[in-house]
Amino acid sequence: MTRSHCYCFSGIIISLLIHTLASPPLHFCLPDQRDALLEFKDEFPTDESDPIPWNKSSSTDCCFWKGVTCDDRSGQVISLNLFDTLLNGSLKTNSSLFRLQYLRHLNFSYSYLQGEIPSSLGNLSRLTLVDLSHNDLVGQVPASIGNLNKLQVMSLGQNNLNGTIPISFTNLTKLYHISLRSNNFTSTLPSDMSGFHSLEHFDVSNNSFFGPFPKSLFSLPSLQTVSLEGNQFTGPIEFTNTSFSSSLAKLEDLFLASNKFDGLIPQSISKFLNLQTLYLQNNNFTGTIPRSISKLANLYVLDLSNNMLEGEVPSCLWRLTTVTLSRNFFSSFENPLQETLIQALDLNSNSFRGPFPRWICKTRGLSFLDLSNNLFNGLFPPCLRNSIDSLTDLILRNNSFSGTLPDIFANATELRSFDVSRNQLEGKLPKSLINCKALQLVNVESNRIKDVFPSWLGSLPSLHVLILRSNEFYGPLYHLNVSVGFQSLRVIDISHNDFTGTLPPHWFSNWREMTKMREEDDPYMADIINDSVFYRNTMVMVIKGVETSFERIQQDFRAIDFSGNMIYGEIPESLCYLKELHLLNLSGNGFTRGIPRSLANLTKLETLDLSCNKLSGQIPQSLGELSSLSYMNFSSNFLEGPVPRGTQFQRQSCSSFSNNPRLFGLEEICGKRLSLPARQQPEEVLEEEEHMFNWVAAAIAYGPGLFCGLVIGHIFTSCYHERWSKKTQSHHK
Ligand SMILES: *[C@@H]1O[C@H](CO)[C@@H](O)[C@H](O)[C@H]1NC(C)=O
Ligand SMILES: *[C@@H]1O[C@H](CO)[C@@H](O)[C@H](O)[C@H]1NC(C)=O
Ligand SMILES: *[C@@H]1O[C@H](CO)[C@@H](O)[C@H](O)[C@H]1NC(C)=O
Ligand SMILES: *[C@@H]1O[C@H](CO)[C@@H](O)[C@H](O)[C@H]1NC(C)=O
Ligand SMILES: *[C@@H]1O[C@H](CO)[C@@H](O)[C@H](O)[C@H]1NC(C)=O
Ligand SMILES: *[C@@H]1O[C@H](CO)[C@@H](O)[C@H](O)[C@H]1NC(C)=O
Ligand SMILES: *[C@@H]1O[C@H](CO)[C@@H](O)[C@H](O)[C@H]1NC(C)=O
Ligand SMILES: *[C@@H]1O[C@H](CO)[C@@H](O)[C@H](O)[C@H]1NC(C)=O
Ligand SMILES: *[C@@H]1O[C@H](CO)[C@@H](O)[C@H](O)[C@H]1NC(C)=O
Ligand SMILES: *[C@@H]1O[C@H](CO)[C@@H](O)[C@H](O)[C@H]1NC(C)=O
Ligand SMILES: *[C@@H]1O[C@H](CO)[C@@H](O)[C@H](O)[C@H]1NC(C)=O
Ligand SMILES: *[C@@H]1O[C@H](CO)[C@@H](O)[C@H](O)[C@H]1NC(C)=O
């Protein structure tokens, strides 16, 4: 025996004596249990942080050690909870843990246990709770788990477990909570699950489980939550195998999303009278919504998006609070008889047609409304005035709404996104939008709005995205007595309008959001991430000459597109304050004088298009140092002198410099054929650009970086085609 063992041993005697003499023998640590614990601790690497704070020299009763619970009478260790203790090691088959034969609860959740689950876990036959959830176990679940026939709770979620579920699993009939979520199981479920009489929570989401819908599971009236989400289950779903009366069914939450289920949504869904949430999105369901769904009086969330459903939407859905029907083929809805309770309604990308459904205006507390990508027509609904005070998102993009936008936004204090792009709206922007202090996004792209530049929007404190592209806006951007703030703006696209006038040198100096250099671990980043506008909104912009759809707006994307207007004069020097800018497009205007040298301060710049202006002088050599700059276009100006030598310049297409008769140094870029001066025939320009745009398209679709939108069309930005594309611009129907 070593000294420390002696000490430790006498420590135990003393502590036993103290316990025996000073207090009734509630519980005290048995030596074998204590040794097993200490040896268990020794199986894991220790460092300064000492994750398991037990030690030999400590004389306290091991029943008081962190995470240890003993039986009051026998002193046996019955529970070990090492939740959130960084073990950084694996559990060996001969681990001393398995000497703790009286364990009932074993909770190693978030302890980052590695390796496989040893088969000797099956020796701890008294276990009722096993929680090994979170991030590093591998391999298969041992068949011996079937020996744990007292088990009630088994949580193995968020590991890298794989393979199949052992047959012995069906032994565990006392289980009321099973979670295997987010692992790599490639398995079918046991064909008969009707023996799990006590099962309440069953979660196998985010694995590769396959096979048919587990009918037998749904014969259990005890079920409360079932998630099969994110697997490879196939075929139809049905709930006919239920022998219990539906008033006994406890099921409240059913997640079947993101599988390969198909066929009809069965009428038998109404067996689960207590259902509150039902997620069937991202499958291949066909047919109509079953009428029986009206029996589910407690249902409040329904997501059917991204299926092949069609027909009429029954009015019983309008008493739910969240209804997501996007990306289906629904064509009409039954009008509700009374007031509806809907708070979030997403009808995006269906085949709805006709005028705006007026019953939506009767909805009290409506917050999210997305009708985009349908065939709605007629006037923009003034009756929305009634629900405007609760609306946070109004998204009507890509329909055929016409007429003027009514001035109904005075009370829209919650409104964050206002997207009416790609309709046939005309008239002016409603001035009452100035009251929408929460506004983050205004997108009226591709309408026929005829108004002056809305400088007044510059005072909105949270406006991040302003898109006025392809309308009939006119007049100067700058007014002497209006100071334009736009302090929160991240993306502004006012291209293809009739804006004119000059921009004073200081014009951009108040655009704080684009000015501010972002530290990598700035708490500000967390703010942005919570910014739901950047989750929910899609947007289309021309990136590198290609019309690109952003399924979501990237939070740190910063862009200015003023192209295709008639703005003239000098490029404002204050641009160089916008240090976070990724895209700058000033092409197709009348800018004169030189390219400001300070543009080289925009170190994040990826796209720079100054083509089709009247710029003169040299291209600043310092631009050659911008290593992020992957696309640039200086064509059709009066630039002269040598092209900067940086690698990014050498990678450009020859046409990026064409039509600048006095530019030289293009041999490497254009090849011998087109050495100085860089002048080309229009046909050649077209051919080359087409080639290049295809390349750019591929890069955008598959490349990393910020521009990971979806290419939906090609726009030619060379001056010849500029006019052409503007004149023939359709409304992208
Ligand atoms: C042992 O634990 C006690 C109390 O938890 C602590 O005060 C002591 O520093 C520890 N000793 C060692 C060697 O870690
Ligand atoms: C885990 O242990 C390994 C050595 O076995 C060590 O390199 C690594 O840094 C440890 N990880 C943590 C998070 O302590
Ligand atoms: C577990 O039980 C098996 C057989 O019942 C035995 O062979 C094995 O040694 C036990 N393992 C441990 C760690 O106790
Ligand atoms: C467990 O087995 C390994 C060899 O597989 C051995 O090195 C180790 O000492 C054993 N541990 C215990 C606690 O028996
Ligand atoms: C494991 O312990 C943590 C922390 O005490 C707790 O939040 C979690 O619910 C426990 N796991 C189970 C399955 O009870
Ligand atoms: C689990 O599956 C994911 C996705 O298929 C894969 O990226 C990961 O490498 C797999 N993990 C293991 C340990 O096989
Ligand atoms: C499970 O993962 C391990 C590595 O963690 C791998 O060796 C084994 O082939 C995988 N088994 C299956 C069935 O995928
Ligand atoms: C568990 O199941 C296996 C295989 O189905 C069976 O052989 C074993 O006897 C069962 N164990 C218990 C404890 O029921
Ligand atoms: C499954 O994975 C998806 C995508 O990674 C994630 O959004 C979802 O929250 C996961 N579900 C569960 C239950 O972990
Ligand atoms: C969905 O079903 C249709 C026919 O009903 C089939 O053509 C299509 O391939 C299915 N899609 C998927 C992703 O299974
Ligand atoms: C705004 O709300 C107030 C009080 O609720 C109401 O009197 C007023 O008419 C509303 N204004 C508009 C433009 O709807
Ligand atoms: C631009 O960068 C240069 C050097 O990197 C610096 O001297 C100059 O002050 C910067 N200009 C502005 C407006 O930030």
Side-chain angles (χ1 to χ4, degrees):
M1 245 188 198
T2 61
R3 270 177 93 117
S4 71
H5 275 103
C6 290
Y7 175 83
C8 151
F9 189 65
S10 54
I12 293 175
I13 303 277
I14 292 167
S15 90
L16 285 184
L17 281 172
I18 291 173
H19 273 275
T20 320
L21 298 174
S23 53
L26 267 179
H27 61 65
F28 47 85
C29 191
L30 298 178
D32 70 308
Q33 303 279 292
R34 176 194 159 104
D35 291 349
L37 285 169
L38 288 172
E39 281 168 40
F40 169 74
K41 175 184 167 154
D42 282 346
E43 290 163 24
F44 295 93
T46 42
D47 54 18
E48 316 78 60
S49 68
D50 197 15
I52 312 179
W54 313 332
N55 65 49
K56 295 187 175 68
S57 53
S58 141
S59 60
T60 41
D61 187 335
C62 76
C63 297
F64 290 102
W65 288 354
K66 183 170 181 263
V68 178
T69 310
C70 299
D71 181 83
D72 272 355
R73 279 161 301 165
S74 68
Q76 308 280 9
V77 175
I78 53 166
S79 166
L80 197 52
N81 188 337
L82 295 182
F83 167 81
D84 203 17
T85 305
L86 183 66
L87 293 176
N88 193 20
S90 58
L91 207 50
K92 319 252 175 339
T93 314
N94 61 359
S95 167
S96 310
L97 176 74
F98 303 114
R99 283 168 28 211
L100 299 172
Q101 279 293 322
Y102 292 85
L103 272 181
R104 287 179 227 158
H105 289 191
L106 188 62
N107 187 339
F108 286 175
S109 150
Y110 286 96
S111 68
Y112 302 94
L113 212 52
Q114 301 159 8
E116 305 198 1
I117 301 177
S119 63
S120 19
L121 184 67
N123 290 24
L124 296 177
S125 58
R126 292 181 175 84
L127 282 176
T128 59
L129 180 149
V130 172
D131 187 347
L132 304 179
S133 61
H134 291 94
N135 263 358
D136 293 340
L137 292 167
V138 298
Q140 308 221 12
V141 174
S144 66
I145 203 140
N147 295 335
L148 303 179
N149 59 11
K150 295 198 167 67
L151 209 56
Q152 296 175 348
V153 175
M154 180 169 73
S155 183
L156 304 178
Q158 306 269 14
N159 283 292
N160 275 319
L161 299 168
N162 66 6
T164 56
I165 301 298
I167 297 167
S168 62
F169 188 79
T170 45
N171 288 6
L172 305 176
T173 54
K174 299 218 168 59
L175 276 171
Y176 65 81
H177 180 113
I178 305 176
S179 170
L180 304 177
R181 80 184 159 99
S182 301
N183 279 287
N184 279 18
F185 291 111
T186 43
S187 182
T188 54
L189 291 175
S191 57
D192 183 5
M193 300 185 73
S194 58
F196 292 95
H197 300 293
S198 314
L199 197 56
E200 293 176 3
H201 303 280
F202 183 75
D203 184 353
V204 296
S205 60
N206 288 352
N207 280 287
S208 300
F209 281 97
F210 60 95
F213 181 68
K215 275 184 271 188
S216 62
L217 178 65
F218 292 88
S219 67
L220 304 167
S222 53
L223 288 178
Q224 290 176 18
T225 310
V226 173
S227 180
L228 309 180
E229 178 179 303
N231 281 291
Q232 309 283 330
F233 291 108
T234 47
I237 65 173
E238 55 155 298
F239 306 94
T240 47
N241 204 359
T242 52
S243 50
F244 53 88
S245 104
S246 43
S247 59
L248 291 178
K250 297 197 178 66
L251 192 65
E252 292 180 355
D253 305 291
L254 180 56
F255 301 82
L256 303 180
S258 305
N259 277 287
K260 293 176 175 168
F261 290 123
D262 58 20
L264 302 177
I265 299 173
Q267 297 283 354
S268 54
I269 186 74
S270 62
K271 291 245 172 169
F272 295 101
L273 279 183
N274 282 309
L275 213 53
Q276 298 182 1
T277 64
L278 178 58
Y279 296 87
L280 302 179
Q281 71 270 26
N282 306 326
N283 279 292
N284 208 1
F285 290 115
T286 50
T288 57
I289 297 176
R291 291 278 151 175
S292 67
I293 212 161
S294 66
K295 293 185 192 155
L296 303 178
N298 295 323
L299 194 67
Y300 68 94
V301 177
L302 176 66
D303 193 337
L304 300 178
S305 59
N306 202 19
N307 279 292
M308 313 235 302
L309 297 164
E310 62 190 8
E312 187 181 64
V313 180
S315 65
C316 63
L317 295 193
W318 312 136
R319 57 158 206 256
L320 276 56
T321 53
T322 302
V323 176
T324 307
L325 304 178
S326 57
R327 288 179 287 160
N328 278 289
F329 301 98
F330 291 113
S331 52
S332 60
F333 17 66
E334 194 184 357
N335 284 346
L337 295 174
Q338 67 254 66
E339 200 171 280
T340 74
L341 301 175
I342 292 264
Q343 288 169 14
L345 179 59
D346 187 350
L347 304 181
N348 175 9
S349 301
N350 276 285
S351 309
F352 293 108
R353 54 181 67 243
F356 182 88
R358 293 182 65 89
W359 58 266
I360 290 178
C361 297
K362 292 194 196 129
T363 307
R364 294 277 158 259
L366 182 67
S367 161
F368 179 88
L369 180 63
D370 186 347
L371 304 185
S372 57
N373 303 316
N374 278 291
L375 302 162
F376 287 111
N377 58 18
L379 294 183
F380 181 96
C383 73
L384 264 182
R385 177 195 310 272
N386 303 331
S387 358
I388 208 80
D389 54 351
S390 55
L391 262 188
T392 58
D393 301 81
L394 178 59
I395 304 169
L396 305 181
R397 64 180 288 120
N398 202 23
N399 279 287
S400 296
F401 288 114
S402 56
T404 58
L405 284 164
D407 219 351
I408 57 170
F409 299 93
N411 287 341
T413 50
E414 308 285 318
L415 197 63
R416 291 178 309 194
S417 28
F418 177 68
D419 183 347
V420 295
S421 62
R422 301 184 178 227
N423 279 285
Q424 289 151 28
L425 297 163
E426 49 196 40
K428 293 182 192 295
L429 273 188
K431 275 284 193 326
S432 54
L433 282 173
I434 191 70
N435 299 305
C436 308
K437 297 296 183 214
L439 257 187
Q440 297 183 17
L441 173 139
V442 172
N443 188 349
V444 300
E445 175 233 320
S446 301
N447 279 287
R448 294 178 199 140
I449 296 176
K450 193 166 192 157
D451 199 351
V452 295
F453 181 68
S455 322
W456 46 275
L457 286 176
S459 68
L460 292 178
S462 311
L463 188 66
H464 295 312
V465 180
L466 176 62
I467 303 185
L468 309 179
R469 186 175 68 250
S470 299
N471 276 286
E472 295 168 22
F473 285 95
Y474 61 92
L477 295 175
Y478 169 64
H479 297 272
L480 247 186
N481 43 8
V482 184
S483 81
V484 185
F486 291 114
Q487 52 167 324
S488 299
L489 213 54
R490 298 172 188 173
V491 174
I492 178 170
D493 182 350
I494 57 168
S495 63
H496 303 280
N497 279 290
D498 298 320
F499 289 119
T500 181
T502 60
L503 300 176
H506 63 267
W507 206 62
F508 293 101
S509 46
N510 289 333
W511 297 28
R512 281 216 316 252
E513 188 90 15
M514 292 212 220
T515 307
K516 154 166 83 184
M517 264 294 199
R518 206 154 26 75
E519 309 287 330
E520 289 311 323
D521 49 344
D522 198 338
Y524 159 80
M525 203 53 212
D527 285 0
I528 300 183
I529 286 166
N530 291 331
D531 238 337
S532 58
V533 158
F534 292 88
Y535 284 109
R536 285 175 167 176
N537 289 91
T538 57
M539 144 184 112
V540 173
M541 278 188 76
V542 176
I543 310 289
K544 308 185 190 192
V546 178
E547 194 168 76
T548 304
S549 166
F550 290 75
E551 275 309 302
R552 295 194 214 162
I553 304 176
Q554 277 83 355
Q555 293 145 4
D556 46 3
F557 182 57
R558 304 281 182 276
I560 292 180
D561 191 343
F562 285 3
S563 64
N565 281 290
M566 291 171 283
I567 307 166
Y568 55 87
E570 276 184 78
I571 295 177
E573 190 70 33
S574 53
L575 254 182
C576 70
Y577 296 133
L578 310 183
K579 292 200 165 55
E580 293 289 324
L581 203 60
H582 300 106
L583 177 148
L584 177 63
N585 189 349
L586 303 179
S587 81
N589 279 288
F591 285 106
T592 51
R593 310 285 289 270
I595 299 173
R597 211 174 292 276
S598 55
L599 273 190
N601 287 26
L602 307 184
T603 51
K604 304 259 174 86
L605 210 57
E606 296 182 24
T607 297
L608 174 64
D609 194 340
L610 302 178
S611 63
C612 304
N613 278 290
K614 294 173 183 159
L615 295 166
S616 56
Q618 299 197 0
I619 301 177
Q621 294 295 314
S622 51
L623 291 186
E625 285 153 29
L626 291 178
S627 56
S628 308
L629 194 55
S630 58
Y631 174 87
M632 53 190 112
N633 196 342
F634 298 96
S635 65
S636 301
N637 277 292
F638 303 114
L639 297 167
E640 59 186 51
V643 167
R645 299 213 53 84
T647 14
Q648 301 308 328
F649 273 80
Q650 301 305 315
R651 287 189 187 148
Q652 298 307 305
S653 153
C654 183
S655 58
S656 292
F657 303 95
S658 63
N659 265 318
N660 286 288
R662 295 200 286 160
L663 209 53
F664 60 81
L666 284 159
E667 294 81 358
E668 280 172 47
I669 297 169
C670 296
K672 288 202 180 75
R673 186 173 62 97
L674 288 162
S675 54
L676 57 141
R679 202 180 315 189
Q680 284 173 292
Q681 297 303 309
E683 299 77 48
E684 273 178 323
V685 174
L686 181 55
E687 227 171 72
E688 283 223 15
E689 289 203 342
E690 220 150 4
H691 175 78
M692 177 187 67
F693 287 145
N694 287 335
W695 175 82
V696 169
I700 286 175
Y702 304 113
L706 288 162
F707 302 126
C708 54
L710 176 73
V711 174
I712 58 170
H714 290 183
I715 296 275
F716 295 102
T717 46
S718 98
C719 310
Y720 313 100
H721 310 105
E722 182 68 35
R723 299 239 163 77
W724 172 82
S725 95
K726 193 170 176 181
K727 290 238 165 59
T728 60
Q729 190 144 35
S730 73
H731 282 266
H732 312 275
K733 285 283 135 190

